[in-house]
mmCIF file of all heavy atoms in Angstrom:
data_model
loop_
_atom_site.group_PDB
_atom_site.id
_atom_site.type_symbol
_atom_site.label_atom_id
_atom_site.label_comp_id
_atom_site.label_asym_id
_atom_site.label_seq_id
_atom_site.Cartn_x
_atom_site.Cartn_y
_atom_site.Cartn_z
ATOM 1 N N GLY A 1 -80.172 -4.919 -97.063
ATOM 2 C CA GLY A 1 -79.677 -4.421 -98.339
ATOM 3 C C GLY A 1 -78.917 -3.112 -98.287
ATOM 4 O O GLY A 1 -78.552 -2.532 -99.271
ATOM 5 N N GLU A 2 -78.802 -2.487 -97.019
ATOM 6 C CA GLU A 2 -78.103 -1.297 -96.872
ATOM 7 C C GLU A 2 -76.621 -1.406 -97.221
ATOM 8 O O GLU A 2 -75.967 -2.352 -96.881
ATOM 9 C CB GLU A 2 -78.259 -0.760 -95.455
ATOM 10 C CG GLU A 2 -77.682 -1.643 -94.331
ATOM 11 C CD GLU A 2 -78.552 -2.780 -93.849
ATOM 12 O OE1 GLU A 2 -79.459 -3.094 -94.486
ATOM 13 O OE2 GLU A 2 -78.328 -3.216 -92.766
ATOM 14 N N LEU A 3 -76.057 -0.426 -97.885
ATOM 15 C CA LEU A 3 -74.786 -0.327 -98.335
ATOM 16 C C LEU A 3 -73.775 -0.055 -97.213
ATOM 17 O O LEU A 3 -73.963 0.925 -96.521
ATOM 18 C CB LEU A 3 -74.585 0.729 -99.490
ATOM 19 C CG LEU A 3 -73.154 0.855 -100.042
ATOM 20 C CD1 LEU A 3 -72.725 -0.433 -100.692
ATOM 21 C CD2 LEU A 3 -73.102 2.132 -101.003
ATOM 22 N N LEU A 4 -72.882 -0.936 -96.934
ATOM 23 C CA LEU A 4 -71.895 -0.831 -95.925
ATOM 24 C C LEU A 4 -70.560 -0.428 -96.432
ATOM 25 O O LEU A 4 -69.985 0.442 -95.816
ATOM 26 C CB LEU A 4 -71.815 -2.032 -95.030
ATOM 27 C CG LEU A 4 -73.201 -2.506 -94.316
ATOM 28 C CD1 LEU A 4 -72.971 -3.812 -93.586
ATOM 29 C CD2 LEU A 4 -73.784 -1.393 -93.464
ATOM 30 N N PHE A 5 -70.091 -1.190 -97.429
ATOM 31 C CA PHE A 5 -68.744 -0.861 -97.985
ATOM 32 C C PHE A 5 -68.818 -1.096 -99.512
ATOM 33 O O PHE A 5 -69.516 -2.002 -99.968
ATOM 34 C CB PHE A 5 -67.657 -1.811 -97.442
ATOM 35 C CG PHE A 5 -67.426 -1.621 -96.015
ATOM 36 C CD1 PHE A 5 -67.871 -2.561 -95.086
ATOM 37 C CD2 PHE A 5 -66.789 -0.475 -95.416
ATOM 38 C CE1 PHE A 5 -67.709 -2.432 -93.744
ATOM 39 C CE2 PHE A 5 -66.535 -0.336 -94.032
ATOM 40 C CZ PHE A 5 -67.045 -1.346 -93.234
ATOM 41 N N THR A 6 -68.093 -0.276 -100.305
ATOM 42 C CA THR A 6 -68.065 -0.487 -101.755
ATOM 43 C C THR A 6 -66.784 -1.099 -102.070
ATOM 44 O O THR A 6 -65.817 -1.108 -101.314
ATOM 45 C CB THR A 6 -68.107 0.973 -102.406
ATOM 46 O OG1 THR A 6 -67.102 1.794 -101.991
ATOM 47 C CG2 THR A 6 -69.482 1.604 -102.124
ATOM 48 N N GLY A 7 -66.754 -1.681 -103.270
ATOM 49 C CA GLY A 7 -65.494 -2.322 -103.701
ATOM 50 C C GLY A 7 -65.079 -3.585 -102.976
ATOM 51 O O GLY A 7 -63.935 -3.822 -102.928
ATOM 52 N N ALA A 8 -66.087 -4.255 -102.450
ATOM 53 C CA ALA A 8 -65.786 -5.592 -101.736
ATOM 54 C C ALA A 8 -65.173 -6.697 -102.625
ATOM 55 O O ALA A 8 -64.468 -7.446 -102.109
ATOM 56 C CB ALA A 8 -67.012 -6.020 -101.025
ATOM 57 N N GLY A 9 -65.642 -6.685 -103.877
ATOM 58 C CA GLY A 9 -65.108 -7.646 -104.761
ATOM 59 C C GLY A 9 -65.671 -8.994 -104.398
ATOM 60 O O GLY A 9 -66.752 -9.162 -103.691
ATOM 61 N N GLY A 10 -65.057 -10.044 -104.882
ATOM 62 C CA GLY A 10 -65.588 -11.453 -104.699
ATOM 63 C C GLY A 10 -64.995 -12.178 -103.457
ATOM 64 O O GLY A 10 -65.681 -13.002 -102.910
ATOM 65 N N ASN A 11 -63.700 -11.831 -103.153
ATOM 66 C CA ASN A 11 -63.077 -12.520 -102.120
ATOM 67 C C ASN A 11 -63.104 -11.811 -100.847
ATOM 68 O O ASN A 11 -62.194 -11.052 -100.479
ATOM 69 C CB ASN A 11 -61.544 -12.835 -102.545
ATOM 70 C CG ASN A 11 -60.786 -13.702 -101.606
ATOM 71 O OD1 ASN A 11 -61.421 -14.325 -100.752
ATOM 72 N ND2 ASN A 11 -59.512 -13.642 -101.669
ATOM 73 N N VAL A 12 -64.176 -11.942 -100.064
ATOM 74 C CA VAL A 12 -64.425 -11.157 -98.944
ATOM 75 C C VAL A 12 -64.121 -11.962 -97.659
ATOM 76 O O VAL A 12 -64.516 -13.137 -97.576
ATOM 77 C CB VAL A 12 -65.767 -10.602 -98.848
ATOM 78 C CG1 VAL A 12 -66.158 -9.906 -97.538
ATOM 79 C CG2 VAL A 12 -66.143 -9.654 -99.951
ATOM 80 N N ARG A 13 -63.327 -11.346 -96.712
ATOM 81 C CA ARG A 13 -63.094 -12.132 -95.505
ATOM 82 C C ARG A 13 -63.286 -11.167 -94.314
ATOM 83 O O ARG A 13 -62.888 -9.945 -94.436
ATOM 84 C CB ARG A 13 -61.562 -12.577 -95.496
ATOM 85 C CG ARG A 13 -61.203 -13.276 -94.237
ATOM 86 C CD ARG A 13 -59.787 -13.840 -94.366
ATOM 87 N NE ARG A 13 -58.781 -12.833 -94.451
ATOM 88 C CZ ARG A 13 -58.277 -12.148 -93.460
ATOM 89 N NH1 ARG A 13 -58.513 -12.469 -92.248
ATOM 90 N NH2 ARG A 13 -57.426 -11.129 -93.552
ATOM 91 N N LEU A 14 -63.875 -11.656 -93.231
ATOM 92 C CA LEU A 14 -63.971 -10.746 -92.054
ATOM 93 C C LEU A 14 -63.309 -11.524 -90.904
ATOM 94 O O LEU A 14 -63.564 -12.731 -90.569
ATOM 95 C CB LEU A 14 -65.583 -10.671 -91.752
ATOM 96 C CG LEU A 14 -65.942 -9.788 -90.635
ATOM 97 C CD1 LEU A 14 -65.780 -8.190 -91.142
ATOM 98 C CD2 LEU A 14 -67.493 -9.925 -90.286
ATOM 99 N N ASP A 15 -62.489 -10.737 -90.183
ATOM 100 C CA ASP A 15 -61.755 -11.385 -89.003
ATOM 101 C C ASP A 15 -62.533 -11.247 -87.754
ATOM 102 O O ASP A 15 -63.664 -10.590 -87.715
ATOM 103 C CB ASP A 15 -60.336 -10.920 -88.970
ATOM 104 C CG ASP A 15 -60.217 -9.529 -88.513
ATOM 105 O OD1 ASP A 15 -61.230 -8.797 -88.003
ATOM 106 O OD2 ASP A 15 -59.150 -8.813 -88.750
ATOM 107 N N ASN A 16 -62.043 -11.818 -86.722
ATOM 108 C CA ASN A 16 -62.767 -11.859 -85.456
ATOM 109 C C ASN A 16 -62.861 -10.487 -84.764
ATOM 110 O O ASN A 16 -63.556 -10.302 -83.802
ATOM 111 C CB ASN A 16 -62.166 -12.832 -84.491
ATOM 112 C CG ASN A 16 -62.460 -14.273 -84.843
ATOM 113 O OD1 ASN A 16 -63.180 -14.498 -85.710
ATOM 114 N ND2 ASN A 16 -61.779 -15.184 -84.240
ATOM 115 N N GLU A 17 -62.128 -9.507 -85.245
ATOM 116 C CA GLU A 17 -62.169 -8.070 -84.706
ATOM 117 C C GLU A 17 -63.073 -7.220 -85.516
ATOM 118 O O GLU A 17 -63.246 -6.066 -85.294
ATOM 119 C CB GLU A 17 -60.778 -7.528 -84.723
ATOM 120 C CG GLU A 17 -59.921 -7.988 -83.484
ATOM 121 C CD GLU A 17 -59.349 -9.296 -83.663
ATOM 122 O OE1 GLU A 17 -58.910 -9.672 -84.779
ATOM 123 O OE2 GLU A 17 -59.543 -10.145 -82.739
ATOM 124 N N GLY A 18 -63.678 -7.815 -86.530
ATOM 125 C CA GLY A 18 -64.599 -7.104 -87.433
ATOM 126 C C GLY A 18 -63.989 -6.318 -88.566
ATOM 127 O O GLY A 18 -64.628 -5.599 -89.244
ATOM 128 N N ASN A 19 -62.726 -6.689 -88.856
ATOM 129 C CA ASN A 19 -62.048 -6.069 -90.068
ATOM 130 C C ASN A 19 -62.449 -6.682 -91.288
ATOM 131 O O ASN A 19 -62.354 -8.005 -91.385
ATOM 132 C CB ASN A 19 -60.525 -6.141 -89.926
ATOM 133 C CG ASN A 19 -60.018 -5.328 -88.621
ATOM 134 O OD1 ASN A 19 -60.492 -4.205 -88.433
ATOM 135 N ND2 ASN A 19 -59.181 -5.879 -87.832
ATOM 136 N N LEU A 20 -62.974 -6.025 -92.260
ATOM 137 C CA LEU A 20 -63.465 -6.525 -93.530
ATOM 138 C C LEU A 20 -62.371 -6.436 -94.601
ATOM 139 O O LEU A 20 -61.903 -5.275 -94.920
ATOM 140 C CB LEU A 20 -64.699 -5.795 -93.985
ATOM 141 C CG LEU A 20 -65.404 -6.394 -95.208
ATOM 142 C CD1 LEU A 20 -65.964 -7.727 -95.024
ATOM 143 C CD2 LEU A 20 -66.481 -5.402 -95.736
ATOM 144 N N TYR A 21 -61.935 -7.525 -95.218
ATOM 145 C CA TYR A 21 -60.901 -7.566 -96.163
ATOM 146 C C TYR A 21 -61.490 -7.971 -97.540
ATOM 147 O O TYR A 21 -62.380 -8.815 -97.582
ATOM 148 C CB TYR A 21 -59.707 -8.458 -95.855
ATOM 149 C CG TYR A 21 -58.966 -8.025 -94.570
ATOM 150 C CD1 TYR A 21 -59.376 -8.514 -93.337
ATOM 151 C CD2 TYR A 21 -57.908 -7.218 -94.635
ATOM 152 C CE1 TYR A 21 -58.718 -8.104 -92.198
ATOM 153 C CE2 TYR A 21 -57.242 -6.798 -93.520
ATOM 154 C CZ TYR A 21 -57.701 -7.242 -92.279
ATOM 155 O OH TYR A 21 -56.988 -6.821 -91.125
ATOM 156 N N SER A 22 -60.989 -7.409 -98.616
ATOM 157 C CA SER A 22 -61.316 -7.877 -99.912
ATOM 158 C C SER A 22 -59.986 -8.050 -100.701
ATOM 159 O O SER A 22 -59.201 -7.148 -100.951
ATOM 160 C CB SER A 22 -62.140 -6.853 -100.719
ATOM 161 O OG SER A 22 -62.409 -7.271 -102.031
ATOM 162 N N ASP A 23 -59.702 -9.321 -101.083
ATOM 163 C CA ASP A 23 -58.459 -9.670 -101.744
ATOM 164 C C ASP A 23 -57.270 -9.203 -100.950
ATOM 165 O O ASP A 23 -56.249 -8.554 -101.442
ATOM 166 C CB ASP A 23 -58.338 -9.157 -103.081
ATOM 167 C CG ASP A 23 -59.434 -9.774 -104.024
ATOM 168 O OD1 ASP A 23 -59.713 -11.016 -103.936
ATOM 169 O OD2 ASP A 23 -60.050 -9.062 -104.880
ATOM 170 N N GLY A 24 -57.368 -9.237 -99.656
ATOM 171 C CA GLY A 24 -56.241 -8.809 -98.705
ATOM 172 C C GLY A 24 -56.292 -7.379 -98.349
ATOM 173 O O GLY A 24 -55.483 -6.875 -97.524
ATOM 174 N N LYS A 25 -57.152 -6.589 -99.006
ATOM 175 C CA LYS A 25 -57.156 -5.159 -98.798
ATOM 176 C C LYS A 25 -58.229 -4.772 -97.729
ATOM 177 O O LYS A 25 -59.363 -5.253 -97.854
ATOM 178 C CB LYS A 25 -57.442 -4.391 -99.996
ATOM 179 C CG LYS A 25 -57.622 -2.867 -99.877
ATOM 180 C CD LYS A 25 -58.024 -2.214 -101.219
ATOM 181 C CE LYS A 25 -58.325 -0.806 -100.933
ATOM 182 N NZ LYS A 25 -58.821 -0.092 -102.178
ATOM 183 N N LEU A 26 -57.899 -3.981 -96.764
ATOM 184 C CA LEU A 26 -58.782 -3.647 -95.662
ATOM 185 C C LEU A 26 -59.725 -2.565 -96.218
ATOM 186 O O LEU A 26 -59.400 -1.587 -96.671
ATOM 187 C CB LEU A 26 -58.039 -3.071 -94.483
ATOM 188 C CG LEU A 26 -58.934 -2.560 -93.253
ATOM 189 C CD1 LEU A 26 -59.622 -3.773 -92.688
ATOM 190 C CD2 LEU A 26 -58.034 -1.861 -92.235
ATOM 191 N N LEU A 27 -61.051 -2.986 -96.173
ATOM 192 C CA LEU A 27 -62.208 -2.046 -96.548
ATOM 193 C C LEU A 27 -62.641 -1.277 -95.406
ATOM 194 O O LEU A 27 -63.047 -0.112 -95.600
ATOM 195 C CB LEU A 27 -63.332 -2.832 -97.200
ATOM 196 C CG LEU A 27 -63.043 -3.588 -98.488
ATOM 197 C CD1 LEU A 27 -64.334 -4.387 -98.882
ATOM 198 C CD2 LEU A 27 -62.691 -2.617 -99.591
ATOM 199 N N GLY A 28 -62.720 -1.727 -94.199
ATOM 200 C CA GLY A 28 -63.244 -1.057 -93.090
ATOM 201 C C GLY A 28 -63.493 -2.088 -91.981
ATOM 202 O O GLY A 28 -63.107 -3.280 -92.021
ATOM 203 N N THR A 29 -64.047 -1.598 -90.930
ATOM 204 C CA THR A 29 -64.299 -2.346 -89.725
ATOM 205 C C THR A 29 -65.752 -2.282 -89.363
ATOM 206 O O THR A 29 -66.405 -1.227 -89.348
ATOM 207 C CB THR A 29 -63.377 -1.862 -88.484
ATOM 208 O OG1 THR A 29 -62.067 -1.820 -88.949
ATOM 209 C CG2 THR A 29 -63.644 -2.738 -87.295
ATOM 210 N N ILE A 30 -66.302 -3.492 -89.031
ATOM 211 C CA ILE A 30 -67.672 -3.591 -88.531
ATOM 212 C C ILE A 30 -67.626 -3.673 -86.978
ATOM 213 O O ILE A 30 -66.890 -4.680 -86.505
ATOM 214 C CB ILE A 30 -68.348 -4.805 -89.171
ATOM 215 C CG1 ILE A 30 -68.516 -4.481 -90.615
ATOM 216 C CG2 ILE A 30 -69.724 -5.027 -88.570
ATOM 217 C CD1 ILE A 30 -69.146 -5.633 -91.395
ATOM 218 N N THR A 31 -68.302 -2.889 -86.227
ATOM 219 C CA THR A 31 -68.179 -2.910 -84.774
ATOM 220 C C THR A 31 -69.597 -2.898 -84.234
ATOM 221 O O THR A 31 -70.443 -2.091 -84.669
ATOM 222 C CB THR A 31 -67.402 -1.754 -84.212
ATOM 223 O OG1 THR A 31 -66.127 -1.683 -84.858
ATOM 224 C CG2 THR A 31 -67.312 -1.715 -82.809
ATOM 225 N N PRO A 32 -69.901 -3.790 -83.302
ATOM 226 C CA PRO A 32 -71.255 -3.680 -82.689
ATOM 227 C C PRO A 32 -71.461 -2.364 -81.962
ATOM 228 O O PRO A 32 -70.497 -1.794 -81.379
ATOM 229 C CB PRO A 32 -71.166 -4.832 -81.611
ATOM 230 C CG PRO A 32 -70.166 -5.725 -82.097
ATOM 231 C CD PRO A 32 -69.115 -4.825 -82.773
ATOM 232 N N ALA A 33 -72.622 -1.842 -82.084
ATOM 233 C CA ALA A 33 -73.021 -0.597 -81.466
ATOM 234 C C ALA A 33 -73.342 -0.812 -79.962
ATOM 235 O O ALA A 33 -73.943 -1.744 -79.654
ATOM 236 C CB ALA A 33 -74.169 0.060 -82.067
ATOM 237 N N GLY A 34 -72.926 0.147 -79.078
ATOM 238 C CA GLY A 34 -73.248 0.013 -77.682
ATOM 239 C C GLY A 34 -74.439 0.971 -77.388
ATOM 240 O O GLY A 34 -75.231 1.307 -78.226
ATOM 241 N N ALA A 35 -74.606 1.276 -76.154
ATOM 242 C CA ALA A 35 -75.739 2.175 -75.737
ATOM 243 C C ALA A 35 -75.575 3.532 -76.424
ATOM 244 O O ALA A 35 -74.415 4.116 -76.389
ATOM 245 C CB ALA A 35 -75.779 2.312 -74.162
ATOM 246 N N GLU A 36 -76.671 4.035 -76.933
ATOM 247 C CA GLU A 36 -76.721 5.377 -77.521
ATOM 248 C C GLU A 36 -75.616 5.469 -78.590
ATOM 249 O O GLU A 36 -75.033 6.654 -78.761
ATOM 250 C CB GLU A 36 -76.586 6.424 -76.471
ATOM 251 C CG GLU A 36 -77.721 6.396 -75.451
ATOM 252 C CD GLU A 36 -77.532 7.569 -74.311
ATOM 253 O OE1 GLU A 36 -76.544 8.307 -74.488
ATOM 254 O OE2 GLU A 36 -78.331 7.592 -73.461
ATOM 255 N N GLY A 37 -75.420 4.452 -79.290
ATOM 256 C CA GLY A 37 -74.514 4.489 -80.528
ATOM 257 C C GLY A 37 -73.067 4.359 -80.161
ATOM 258 O O GLY A 37 -72.198 4.443 -81.039
ATOM 259 N N GLN A 38 -72.633 4.321 -78.884
ATOM 260 C CA GLN A 38 -71.304 4.128 -78.451
ATOM 261 C C GLN A 38 -70.877 2.717 -78.779
ATOM 262 O O GLN A 38 -71.593 1.761 -78.731
ATOM 263 C CB GLN A 38 -71.137 4.382 -76.955
ATOM 264 C CG GLN A 38 -71.485 5.827 -76.649
ATOM 265 C CD GLN A 38 -71.282 5.991 -75.056
ATOM 266 O OE1 GLN A 38 -71.011 4.990 -74.476
ATOM 267 N NE2 GLN A 38 -71.476 7.205 -74.667
#
């Protein structure tokens, strides 16, 4: 339930690089964390 991005709207798409789009607009990027947060 943690808030990651606001304004996602209803049409959400995530591509294979972790880019999160809402109605074609880039909201941000989700990236797996490495060792010690890298």
Side-chain angles (χ1 to χ4, degrees):
E2 63 274 23
L3 179 63
L4 301 180
F5 298 105
T6 58
N11 185 17
V12 176
R13 180 178 65 85
L14 189 72
D15 66 19
N16 288 348
E17 281 73 46
N19 298 313
L20 180 70
Y21 296 92
S22 176
D23 295 323
K25 176 186 174 184
L26 178 65
L27 293 179
T29 303
I30 295 176
T31 305
E36 299 179 2
Q38 296 178 356

